[in-house]
């Protein structure tokens, strides 16, 4: 075959990317390639860009992929797929014995090739990073007929009668009403396939507001589900409408709208345009979709080059490559670090954050749990649901990887919901400040099931009636810390985040003085400190008095806020926040095994879950750690300060490797990281889970990334510690980011540092090389 424009452009991009990454890091070694076809969707491969994710697999000679895009929520607040695409060539080169499917990381796309009886075809599936367009390009050495089918299972209304269905939108768990999944609209249109879903007038937002007694202020609340319409158009060059088919995949019946080649050809190009908008009318949404199609590049090869250039720059800005022996567990850790970072990169510019419970890459749920024979839209822990302790672990690793452009998806999520969180506080308690709960819908209100469908009338109206989630507000502090870290790492203006940070702090100051005055004559204790009761240590230490996680969060965020330049806070506010910092009580301690350890709180009533919140002063808040005072107390807390054996674990969101790395416990950090980042039980190595959550478990991967980063590099203000918990026998090439626009790039081989570059050079005196 002659070289296509796509291939020539790819060659140019490869040269540029190789010059960028150089000899210190060979990304191609981590490309994942399969030489046999997949059994089902659970053996799919991720592909994506911008804010779109595809699960791509080849089954029985046909190429299939699911389509997801950030920001699509139906009226029940499910996060549905946009559908499934099925591609078939005739004569079919994928019916033979020669087959290869490869994820090409450097270029960001999936390539599939097949050969039978001398007939060869090459398929490239890629997503435009800068426009919501999916491309499927095929090239064959002989003319073939292409059939492409858009498949959809939301072809009729479906009532949730199985209680386990509610895991896809937790607001309906235990609800007195059943959710009804409304059907989509699909039709042929001028030899194209048009598909969309427009939310009906009543949504989970309306149900939640009514349940939580907020109808009197409903008109002032932000409703992101209102008039939300999502869908798209499938178009094929030289293709025409064919027929509508019926079928069943896994457990779900579907219909398919098929396009077919007008005549056999050696090349084909299929595009799927995806559009989301809170459009005032359906015609307005259709107009937006038409504008997307009309505004598409006249030269798709240039769009491909632009996207590949983005991926090249993405890989150049950060990497961790360990050892060269592909049979070693350490090499696997480095490979899976890269693969998982690719998954995160697929939602770089999503309006909504990458979901911890599957991201953009969920598949048919019965392949996760055979007792869940539901549609491909299902995922446990909800669609529009946001669970803060899980989400933080997806986004904290982006600082050291330098993926600062990906942070707004998460941080702006909170900014949009800030008004609703403040209004609920004022409505229920009559004071100021944002009360973001641990589990909340994207519109900033608690999940209906967490708020409690069967709550007593006398129970505090603003508190969730839930064993695990009552009084759990302090997780919002971690996102305040992220916002402050944006300024520290990049110097970026964070003025837009200051109101959020101040509102979160205000809530704790005003709320707990109010609580104290409801119980006694003084708002503060005898030392002038806040009385943080009733509180909680995450979901574990319930009805806590002066929870350590709350104290560590308030101390850290207040201290960091006060360190900001004067452009961010006035002198009056600086005095105010200084006064609040003085009102934060001290972290408490206890004795276990004859040694002093950090206590989860002064007292607590019960233990519900398995978080190790007594180590939150280590991570995320960095009060204790290598090179800091009382390191022995924190180490003893890790060794002896837990209350249940299950509080130590490597799966899912557990942060054991991070704790150990920050405490300088090299052997333990390395051992846990190997367990954490080893290949998953599925065909794609980083489709971990379900663990506590779902597949692919993104807070599993995120916490693994953080642990590995912390083994290599830790920071404290301007001080940087290199190799604080790195095994001497782990050879590594790396490039990581540190505060104050600093990058550190190096090669460690046989325990010796062979190459080191710190930029800017003026930051090199701040670097302390350890373990040498």
């Amino acid at each position: 075959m002659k070289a296509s424009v796509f291939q020539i452009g790819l060659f140019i991009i490869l040269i540029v990317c190789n010059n960028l990454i150089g000899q210190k890091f060979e990304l191609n070694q981590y490309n994942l390639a399969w030489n046999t076809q997949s059994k089902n969707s659970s053996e799919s491969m991720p592909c994506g860009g911008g804010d779109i994710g595809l699960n791509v697999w080849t089954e029985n000679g046909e190429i299939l992929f699911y389509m997801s895009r950030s920001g699509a929520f139906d009226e029940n607040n499910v996060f549905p797929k946009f559908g499934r695409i099925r591609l078939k060539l005739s004569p079919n080169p994928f019916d033979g014995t020669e087959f290869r499917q490869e994820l090409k990381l450097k270029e960001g796309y999936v390539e599939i090739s097949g050969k039978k009886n001398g007939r060869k075809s090459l398929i490239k599936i890629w997503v435009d990073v800068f426009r919501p367009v999916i491309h499927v390009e095929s090239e064959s050495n002989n003319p073939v007929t292409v059939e492409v089918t858009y498949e959809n299972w939301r072809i009729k209304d479906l009532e949730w009668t199985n209680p386990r269905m509610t895991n896809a939108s937790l607001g309906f768990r235990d609800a007195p009403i059943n959710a009804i999944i409304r059907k989509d609209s699909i039709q042929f249109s001028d030899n194209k396939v048009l598909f969309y879903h427009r939310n009906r007038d009543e949504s989970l937002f309306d149900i939640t507001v009514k349940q939580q007694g907020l109808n009197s202020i409903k008109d002032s609340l932000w409703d992101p589900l209102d008039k939300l319409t999502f869908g798209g158009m499938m178009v094929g060059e030289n293709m025409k409408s064919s027929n509508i088919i019926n079928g069943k995949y896994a457990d779900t019946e579907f219909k398919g709208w098929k396009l077919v080649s007008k005549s056999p050809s050696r090349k084909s190009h299929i595009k799927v345009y995806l559009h989301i908008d809170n459009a005032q009318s359906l015609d307005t949404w259709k107009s937006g979709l038409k504008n997307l199609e009309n505004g598409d590049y006249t030269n798709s090869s240039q769009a491909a080059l632009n996207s590949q250039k983005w991926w090249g720059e993405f890989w150049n800005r950060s990497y961790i490559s360990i050892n060269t022996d592909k049979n070693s567990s350490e090499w696997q850790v480095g490979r899976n670090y890269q693969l998982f970072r690719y998954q995160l990169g697929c939602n770089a510019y999503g309006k909504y954050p990458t979901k911890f419970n599957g991201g953009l890459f969920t598949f048919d749920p019965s392949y996760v749990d055979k007792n869940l024979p539901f549609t491909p839209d299902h995922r446990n822990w909800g669609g529009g649901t946001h669970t803060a302790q899980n989400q933080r672990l997806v986004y904290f690793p982006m600082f050291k990887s330098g993926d600062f452009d990906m942070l707004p998806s998460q941080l702006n999520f909170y900014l949009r919901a800030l008004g609703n969180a403040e209004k609920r506080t004022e409505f229920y308690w009559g004071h100021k400040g944002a009360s973001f709960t641990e589990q909340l819908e994207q519109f900033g209100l608690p999940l209906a099931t967490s708020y409690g469908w069967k709550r007593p009338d006398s129970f505090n109206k603003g508190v969730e009636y839930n064993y695990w989630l009552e009084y759990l507000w302090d997780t919002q502090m971690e996102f305040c810390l992220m916002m402050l870290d944006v300024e520290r790492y990049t110097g970026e203006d964070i003025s837009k985040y200051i109101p959020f940070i101040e509102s979160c702090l205000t809530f704790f100051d005003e709320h707990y003085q109010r609580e104290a005055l409801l119980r006694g004559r003084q708002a503060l204790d005898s030392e002038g400190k806040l009385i943080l009761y009733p509180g909680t240590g995450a979901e574990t230490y319930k009805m806590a008095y002066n929870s350590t996680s709350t104290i560590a969060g308030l101390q850290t965020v207040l201290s960091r806020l006060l360190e900001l330049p004067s452009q961010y806070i006035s002198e009056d506010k600086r005095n105010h926040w200084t006064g609040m910092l003085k009102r934060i009580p001290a972290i408490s301690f206890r004795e276990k095994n004859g040694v002093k350890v950090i206590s989860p709180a002064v007292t607590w009533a019960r233990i519900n879950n398995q978080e190790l919140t007594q180590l939150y002063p280590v991570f995320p808040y960095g009060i204790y750690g290598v090179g800091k005072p009382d390191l022995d107390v924190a180490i003893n807390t890790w060794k002896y300060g837990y209350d249940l054996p299950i509080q130590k674990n490597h799966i899912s969101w557990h942060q054991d490797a991070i704790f150990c790395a920050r405490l300088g416990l090299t052997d333990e950090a390395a051992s846990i990281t190997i367990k954490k980042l080893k290949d998953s039980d599925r065909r794609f190595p980083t489709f971990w889970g379900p663990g506590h959550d779902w597949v692919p478990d993104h807070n599993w991967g995120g916490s693994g990334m953080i642990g590995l980063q912390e083994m290599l590099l830790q920071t404290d203000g301007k001080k940087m510690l290199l190799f604080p918990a790195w095994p001497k026998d782990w050879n590594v090439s790396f490039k990581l980011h540190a505060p104050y626009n600093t990058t550190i790039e190096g090669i460690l081989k046989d325990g010796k540092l062979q190459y080191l570059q710190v930029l800017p050079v003026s930051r090199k005196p701040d670097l302390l090389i350890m373990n040498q």
Side-chain angles (χ1 to χ4, degrees):
M1 290 185 288
K2 294 182 179 179
S4 66
V5 174
F6 188 99
Q7 290 170 317
I8 294 170
L10 173 57
F11 179 72
I12 295 170
I13 287 295
L14 284 174
I15 293 173
V16 172
C17 291
N18 281 329
N19 287 336
L20 286 171
I21 298 177
Q23 300 302 312
K24 296 182 288 296
F25 172 53
E26 179 47 59
L27 181 62
N28 288 342
Q29 67 175 313
Y30 299 130
N31 285 356
L32 199 71
W34 298 332
N35 294 318
T36 59
Q37 298 186 20
S38 298
K39 297 177 182 177
N40 52 55
S41 62
S42 73
E43 297 189 351
S44 56
M45 180 179 283
C47 178
D51 63 354
I52 292 173
L54 314 176
N55 293 70
V56 182
W57 75 102
T58 308
E59 183 178 353
N60 298 324
E62 298 177 326
I63 296 169
L64 302 98
F65 59 85
Y66 283 122
M67 302 178 289
S68 292
R69 186 181 177 200
S70 174
F73 304 104
D74 73 4
E75 49 268 83
N76 299 297
N77 219 12
V78 174
F79 181 14
K81 303 286 189 185
F82 278 69
R84 182 174 56 231
I85 301 296
R86 185 185 300 262
L87 184 73
K88 183 177 181 180
L89 307 185
S90 300
N92 193 349
F94 300 108
D95 275 344
T97 57
E98 291 190 34
F99 170 83
R100 184 178 177 85
Q101 178 172 326
E102 182 177 3
L103 173 59
K104 292 183 170 290
L105 291 170
K106 194 177 295 182
E107 301 82 20
Y109 67 76
V110 168
E111 180 179 272
I112 305 172
S113 59
K115 180 180 179 181
K116 182 181 181 182
N117 298 330
R119 293 181 175 271
K120 297 187 292 185
S121 291
L122 183 72
I123 310 291
K124 291 186 177 71
I125 301 174
W126 59 280
V127 177
D128 192 331
V129 171
F130 304 101
R131 294 169 60 79
V133 185
I134 301 163
H135 294 259
V136 182
E137 298 185 64
S138 70
E139 191 169 349
S140 306
N141 65 344
N142 291 290
V144 296
T145 297
V146 178
E147 294 180 1
V148 59
T149 307
Y150 169 77
E151 298 178 353
N152 189 298
W153 45 91
R154 295 183 297 273
I155 49 180
K156 59 183 179 181
D157 289 355
L158 172 68
E159 183 175 2
W160 281 355
T161 54
N162 185 325
R164 297 189 71 177
M165 289 178 165
T166 62
N167 285 328
S169 182
L170 288 168
F172 288 97
R173 181 187 286 175
D174 301 324
I177 54 174
N178 289 338
I180 298 177
I181 303 299
R182 301 297 181 181
K183 68 179 182 178
D184 288 358
S185 299
I186 310 108
Q187 64 191 64
F188 288 118
S189 176
D190 298 327
N191 290 323
K192 307 171 186 177
V193 179
L194 171 68
F195 55 94
Y196 61 87
H197 182 99
R198 182 167 174 83
N199 285 349
R200 277 57 170 184
D201 288 340
E202 184 178 59
S203 72
L204 185 63
F205 170 83
D206 302 285
I207 294 168
T208 303
V209 169
K210 181 179 179 180
Q211 181 223 28
Q212 296 175 17
L214 298 172
N215 266 341
S216 63
I217 62 169
K218 179 179 178 180
D219 290 345
S220 70
L221 298 176
W222 170 60
D223 178 7
L225 300 179
D226 183 39
K227 301 180 177 63
L228 186 64
T229 310
F230 55 90
M233 182 81 79
M234 184 176 75
V235 182
E237 291 180 2
N238 193 37
M239 302 189 83
K240 61 183 180 181
S241 303
S242 177
N243 61 310
I244 300 175
I245 63 169
N246 294 285
K248 184 177 183 180
Y249 187 84
D251 307 285
T252 306
E253 294 180 351
F254 68 88
K255 283 189 175 183
W257 285 255
K258 184 182 295 184
L259 303 180
V260 65
S261 302
K262 292 179 181 178
S263 59
S265 174
R266 292 184 178 181
K267 294 182 180 181
S268 71
H269 191 172
I270 298 153
K271 301 179 184 179
V272 186
Y273 300 90
L274 302 183
H275 183 46
I276 305 175
D277 188 23
N278 294 91
Q280 288 299 309
S281 68
L282 182 58
D283 286 342
T284 301
W285 180 85
K286 288 182 177 179
S287 178
L289 177 62
K290 188 66 175 176
N291 290 338
L292 175 63
E293 185 180 355
N294 291 341
D296 197 16
Y297 293 102
T298 55
N299 185 348
S300 291
S301 295
Q302 185 59 50
L305 294 176
N306 291 342
S307 292
Q308 291 167 31
K309 182 175 183 291
W310 186 91
W311 281 109
E313 293 169 347
F314 173 82
W315 294 115
N316 180 59
R317 67 190 180 209
S318 181
Y319 52 85
I320 300 175
S321 179
I322 307 171
N323 293 356
T324 56
D325 179 4
K326 294 186 178 181
N327 295 317
S328 71
S329 56
E330 296 85 3
W331 182 88
Q332 196 174 96
V333 165
R335 190 270 307 273
N336 291 344
Y337 178 93
Q338 259 66 236
L339 290 181
F340 183 71
R341 186 164 169 254
Y342 173 79
Q343 289 172 222
L344 296 180
C346 290
N347 190 38
Y349 302 134
K351 184 176 180 180
Y352 283 85
T354 296
K355 289 276 294 172
F356 75 94
N357 54 336
L360 298 172
F361 301 112
T362 56
F363 47 81
D364 299 84
S366 62
Y367 297 130
V368 177
D369 182 341
K370 65 182 180 180
N371 297 311
L372 300 176
F374 308 139
T375 78
D377 297 328
H378 182 90
R379 66 176 75 206
N380 282 358
W381 300 105
T385 304
H386 178 94
T387 307
Q389 280 214 105
N390 306 80
Q391 286 298 138
R392 67 195 175 111
L393 297 171
V394 179
Y395 279 85
F396 267 127
M398 295 181 188
F399 287 93
K400 283 193 170 70
S401 64
D403 296 320
F404 307 115
D405 56 338
M406 293 161 53
L407 290 166
S409 296
Q410 177 64 77
L411 302 185
N412 292 346
F413 169 95
Y414 272 106
L415 291 190
R416 290 192 298 269
L418 177 60
N420 286 9
E422 290 177 330
K423 287 169 185 173
R424 76 177 296 273
T425 297
E426 190 158 14
F427 181 85
Y428 291 130
W429 298 301
H431 64 76
K432 302 295 182 183
S435 55
F436 283 102
T437 55
E438 161 67 6
Q439 287 189 343
L440 65 152
E441 305 290 3
Q442 77 271 48
F443 41 82
L445 301 181
L447 277 66
T449 186
S450 304
Y451 187 76
W453 282 105
K454 300 175 181 178
R455 55 189 290 131
D457 290 339
S458 60
F459 195 73
N460 189 321
K461 302 300 182 187
V463 177
E464 292 169 293
Y465 189 65
N466 183 282
Y467 287 107
W468 293 268
L469 301 172
E470 60 191 14
Y471 307 108
L472 183 45
W473 298 299
D474 64 8
T475 50
Q476 63 196 31
M477 288 294 113
E478 300 196 44
F479 297 93
C480 294
L481 181 59
M482 284 189 197
M483 294 170 182
L484 292 162
D485 275 346
V486 169
E487 189 274 340
R488 176 163 285 186
Y489 271 77
T490 70
E492 178 184 326
D493 187 339
I494 60 166
S495 297
K496 67 178 181 179
Y497 295 132
I498 297 301
F500 173 86
I501 297 168
E502 292 187 322
S503 188
C504 292
L505 293 169
T506 296
F507 171 78
F508 280 91
D509 198 23
E510 296 196 11
H511 188 74
Y512 280 101
Q513 292 192 57
R514 176 187 183 274
E515 288 290 311
L517 289 171
L518 289 174
R519 292 173 171 81
R521 290 290 302 272
Q522 289 190 197
L524 304 172
D525 70 9
S526 60
E527 296 180 358
K529 307 293 187 182
L530 290 172
I531 302 167
L532 299 171
Y533 179 85
T536 184
E539 297 179 22
T540 299
Y541 296 96
K542 305 308 296 181
M543 297 300 291
Y545 179 85
N546 286 359
S547 165
T548 289
S549 58
T550 305
I551 292 168
L554 291 171
Q555 284 182 352
T556 301
V557 171
L558 280 164
S559 297
R560 288 285 302 278
L561 180 65
L562 289 167
E563 291 172 11
L564 289 176
S566 59
Q567 70 191 75
Y568 292 109
I569 50 176
S570 66
E571 194 61 30
D572 285 345
K573 284 197 170 183
R574 191 174 296 276
N575 292 334
H576 173 75
W577 298 125
T578 299
M580 183 179 174
L581 180 58
K582 292 177 181 179
R583 290 193 291 276
I584 305 302
I587 289 171
S588 57
F589 302 91
R590 56 178 170 165
E591 186 176 299
K592 294 200 74 175
N593 285 57
V595 295
K596 180 181 178 181
V597 299
I598 304 167
S599 179
V602 175
T603 61
W604 55 93
R606 66 183 191 275
I607 297 177
N608 263 17
N609 208 334
Q610 48 191 287
E611 295 108 334
L612 204 56
T613 58
Q614 47 269 60
L615 284 174
Y616 282 22
V618 175
F619 175 83
Y621 295 116
I623 296 171
Y624 296 89
V626 177
K628 298 179 180 180
D630 298 322
L631 176 61
D632 60 321
V633 174
I635 290 175
N636 285 334
T637 305
W638 162 254
K639 289 181 177 180
Y640 312 114
Y642 56 94
D643 290 287
L644 300 172
I646 59 173
Q647 288 180 284
K648 289 189 173 185
N649 206 333
H650 71 274
I651 68 168
S652 200
W653 46 257
H654 286 273
Q655 301 139 76
D656 297 34
I658 309 173
F659 296 145
C660 289
R662 285 204 168 181
L663 295 173
L665 302 174
T666 301
D667 291 344
E668 289 174 86
S671 174
I672 298 168
T673 295
I674 287 173
K675 293 176 184 177
K676 189 85 164 180
L677 291 179
K678 70 179 182 179
D679 287 356
S680 73
D681 295 331
R682 288 172 177 77
R683 192 174 196 188
F684 196 79
T686 55
F687 276 14
W688 294 291
H692 299 305
D693 301 310
W694 196 240
V695 179
D697 186 340
H698 279 57
N699 59 186
W700 186 315
S703 56
M705 286 183 72
I706 300 166
L708 190 63
Q709 292 169 348
E710 294 292 323
M711 290 170 65
L712 264 175
L713 176 68
Q714 295 177 27
T715 64
D716 180 19
K718 289 194 172 183
K719 184 168 65 174
M720 301 176 289
L721 306 179
L722 191 59
F723 309 127
W726 193 260
K728 289 186 177 182
D729 59 344
W730 284 24
N731 296 336
V732 63
S733 299
F734 64 93
K735 183 178 182 180
L736 292 174
H737 293 246
Y740 307 104
N741 289 298
T742 305
T743 58
I744 303 172
E745 192 170 7
I747 299 174
L748 181 74
K749 187 173 182 180
D750 299 328
K752 295 183 179 181
L753 190 59
Q754 295 191 342
Y755 171 82
L756 178 67
Q757 182 180 63
V758 180
L759 295 176
V761 176
S762 60
R763 288 278 280 134
K764 196 167 184 178
D766 298 321
L767 182 69
L768 175 63
I769 301 174
M770 307 183 71
N771 199 23
Q772 288 287 290

